[in-house]
Amino acid sequence: MSLIVAKFGGTSVASPERIQMVAKKLIAKKQAGHQVVAVVSAMGKTTDELVGLAASLNDNPPAREMDRLLSTGEQVSMTLLAMAIEARGYKAMSFTGRQAGIETDGTHAKAKIMMVHNERIMEAIERGIIAVVAGFQGIDANGDITTLGRGGSDTTAVALAAFLHADLCRIYTDVDGVYDRDPRLHPDAVKYGRISYDDMLLLARGGARVLHDRCVELARREHVVLEVCSAFSDAPGTIVG
Ligand code: ADP
Ligand code: ASP
Ligand code: MG
């Protein structure tokens, strides 16, 4: 039996139909005998819409309130995914960052994960439950909600993989792997079968948002091997590490 962490980005959970597709993928892993932890982003453009809403009321919204607001996006997708899994006859439970034990420093909008208290998630998966965790959020020492920076759900997935000692961390996204350039802008971009942490970090810091830069730093430090692959096909992706 392996413990798998599978992260799904905003496009992959953008509609009820896509959430169904994600539920099916997770259930297939469960049926194959694995323990499964899913990490989700907010549906589609939800986070951008929340940023816009805040801006319509305050040109410079307080960072604490902003993080509280933005964290709600992932809380919608996580509960809907858990419901979709349950509707198919499998057990699932959703967890906010706080419930998943994700402790961060207090830097709002760019918080750093310090520790994951993994007991609750471990207990759930040991009972055969598919754990669905809200990406992008944690809790600081004051008990306030923090967010990890745009694109930060990737980092949630790697932190969980490290602190749960997962066998595999798979990042499902809307392209089928890591390319030398953005494949949406450059049709002749070349896909990597495998890429080192250092080269991936260069790409991420250079603005390739396919992986959050902090996620790559954490993966390198904790020796978490990642696979970046498409949420919409079974094509082999890119191994990072
Ligand atoms: P998700 O919502 O799944 O986290 P993102 O939009 O954050 O997805 O990241 C995936 C996007 O990253 C792709 O749609 C692609 O346009 C973009 N991208 C930029 N640079 C690269 C690259 N070098 N390789 C792959 N994708 C890239
Ligand atoms: N929902 C957040 C964002 O849009 C986090 C993520 O998608 O990784 O940046
Ligand atoms: Mg992303």
Side-chain angles (χ1 to χ4, degrees):
M1 191 202 302
S2 302
L3 197 170
I4 298 173
V5 175
K7 179 257 171 177
F8 292 87
T11 319
S12 316
V13 293
S15 64
E17 294 71 28
R18 289 192 178 167
I19 291 176
Q20 293 281 19
M21 180 202 75
V22 172
K24 278 196 231 166
K25 264 192 194 287
L26 296 171
I27 288 170
K29 292 197 179 359
K30 191 78 212 132
Q31 285 170 332
H34 303 301
Q35 293 180 320
V36 183
V37 177
V39 175
V40 285
S41 292
M43 293 172 73
K45 299 275 172 231
T46 300
T47 309
D48 291 332
E49 287 161 13
L50 292 171
V51 170
L53 255 180
S56 72
L57 294 164
N58 189 327
D59 293 337
N60 188 20
R64 176 181 181 277
E65 305 312 320
M66 201 61 196
D67 274 1
R68 187 93 189 64
L69 176 69
L70 297 192
S71 72
T72 61
E74 274 70 10
Q75 295 179 27
V76 171
S77 49
M78 75 176 194
T79 47
L80 293 177
L81 177 56
M83 289 177 193
I85 295 168
E86 288 270 338
R88 290 174 178 271
Y90 285 78
K91 287 188 283 178
M93 264 177 92
S94 64
F95 297 88
T96 62
R98 177 202 292 265
Q99 290 171 322
I102 298 174
E103 190 185 303
T104 71
D105 67 13
T107 318
H108 285 291
K110 188 76 186 156
K112 192 166 181 183
I113 296 177
M114 312 301 285
M115 177 75 198
V116 180
H117 302 278
N118 65 12
E119 301 80 16
R120 244 189 120 181
I121 302 286
M122 280 313 287
E123 190 205 338
I125 58 178
E126 274 162 12
R127 283 165 51 207
I129 295 169
I130 298 176
V132 183
V133 180
F136 175 58
Q137 60 184 264
I139 188 109
D140 70 11
N142 295 325
D144 285 328
I145 291 177
T146 52
T147 65
L148 310 179
R150 298 301 305 269
S153 299
D154 299 330
T155 304
T156 305
V158 171
L160 284 169
F163 283 94
L164 295 167
H165 308 290
D167 300 283
L168 182 65
C169 183
R170 203 169 263 165
I171 307 288
Y172 288 95
T173 184
D174 56 8
V175 288
D176 64 359
V178 178
Y179 287 73
D180 61 347
R181 287 166 295 164
D182 187 339
R184 292 194 187 283
L185 304 179
H186 305 277
D188 58 340
V190 178
K191 182 173 149 184
Y192 294 101
R194 180 180 275 272
I195 184 170
S196 68
Y197 293 122
D198 289 348
D199 288 345
M200 185 64 235
L201 205 47
L202 284 176
L203 276 179
R205 286 184 180 150
R209 69 178 188 285
V210 65
L211 286 180
H212 192 228
D213 54 356
R214 282 243 172 106
C215 133
V216 186
E217 290 166 7
L218 189 59
R220 181 172 66 177
R221 195 171 75 229
E222 299 293 334
H223 310 288
V224 175
V225 176
L226 301 174
E227 186 176 354
V228 178
C229 52
S230 167
F232 307 108
S233 83
D234 293 322
T238 299
I239 305 285
V240 183

